Amino acid sequence: IKTMKTCTKCKTEKPFDAFSLNKRQKDGRQQWCKACLSAHHFANRDSILKRHAQYREANRLKLREKQAQYNALNASKIRLYSREWRAKIKSDPIKFEKYRKQTAEGVRQSKQRYPEREKARLAVNNAIIAGKITRPLSCSMCGCGCKPEAHHDSYDQSEWFNVRWLCRPCHEEHHRKYPEQKTENKQTTT
């Protein structure tokens, strides 16, 4: 078994650990060592980012469909990873504060971008507070006992109070199953 490999960029023989993994190569490692690859990426950062952005723009639908398929096939794995990641973030106060600020900024931008969603969400929350709507104690899809979220199928003002009560996992699963509705119905009610 080989333990050394020569970098095709710097022509230096280095141990296998100095090369990143690449399953397309015969030996399973990159042709350039990590140091050369890092230097190349640093020197050409702007052009690489531009090329990646162009690819994402040109293949937006294909990438979205591929991500939806992955999410559907790996829903439980994703859910488990999310729980572990949240627990890890919460254990570090500095990272957790940074995460909270980023989340708050994302929510603020979403409210500005989709005012109709915000109006519907506020209308439902105000109706719950006023006692006009009663939030059930279980999910209407799986029946688990929880504090379900209101899912709007439409954001028309006449449909604001026509909601389905779904737990967070079922709500996320619904949007994975019907990705075409995700762009229209992303905001959740808490």
Side-chain angles (χ1 to χ4, degrees):
I1 298 174
K2 283 185 169 182
T3 58
M4 301 292 279
K5 180 175 176 162
T6 304
C7 174
T8 58
K9 176 83 170 160
C10 65
K11 310 293 187 217
T12 308
E13 191 174 33
K14 297 182 178 183
F16 258 44
D17 292 349
F19 296 85
S20 298
L21 295 173
N22 184 347
K23 62 184 175 183
R24 293 185 189 137
Q25 299 295 328
K26 266 186 180 179
D27 60 5
R29 298 290 177 159
Q30 291 280 15
Q31 294 297 312
W32 291 0
C33 65
K34 291 177 182 178
C36 291
L37 205 56
S38 179
H40 171 76
H41 281 283
F42 183 76
N44 300 294
R45 185 176 187 276
D46 292 337
S47 63
I48 291 169
L49 289 176
K50 184 179 178 185
R51 190 174 65 239
H52 287 184
Q54 288 171 345
Y55 177 82
R56 282 194 306 274
E57 189 62 38
N59 298 286
R60 185 180 300 268
L61 294 176
K62 183 174 107 176
L63 292 170
R64 203 177 276 170
E65 184 179 304
K66 188 176 178 180
Q67 185 66 49
Q69 287 174 350
Y70 177 85
N71 290 349
L73 292 172
N74 298 289
S76 59
K77 180 180 171 183
I78 292 168
R79 204 173 295 134
L80 178 65
Y81 175 79
S82 293
R83 282 190 197 124
E84 290 171 353
W85 182 84
R86 283 189 194 107
K88 185 178 175 183
I89 285 289
K90 286 181 179 179
S91 67
D92 184 348
I94 296 169
K95 285 184 180 177
F96 185 61
E97 187 58 33
K98 182 180 176 185
Y99 168 72
R100 284 177 44 127
K101 285 179 182 177
Q102 288 174 339
T103 303
E105 179 61 22
V107 169
R108 188 187 64 75
Q109 289 176 359
S110 179
K111 287 177 181 181
Q112 288 178 342
R113 197 177 301 141
Y114 306 107
E116 69 285 350
R117 295 180 192 177
E118 182 64 9
K119 288 177 184 175
R121 189 185 68 77
L122 287 174
V124 171
N125 278 349
N126 289 337
I128 291 169
I129 292 167
K132 295 176 184 174
I133 295 178
T134 305
R135 183 195 304 264
L137 299 175
S138 63
C139 173
S140 63
M141 192 177 283
C142 70
C144 73
C146 62
K147 184 179 175 184
E149 301 173 344
H151 170 75
H152 291 88
D153 288 316
S154 171
Y155 289 105
D156 294 334
Q157 189 169 357
S158 60
E159 298 289 320
W160 280 356
F161 302 111
N162 186 13
V163 296
R164 284 188 283 150
W165 297 97
L166 305 174
C167 63
R168 171 64 60 95
C170 288
H171 203 170
E172 290 173 355
E173 180 65 30
H174 175 79
H175 286 294
R176 275 194 293 274
K177 208 174 199 179
Y178 304 103
E180 67 278 357
Q181 291 180 352
K182 196 168 193 171
T183 55
E184 301 166 18
N185 303 328
K186 199 170 182 179
Q187 190 78 22
T188 59
T189 300
T190 53

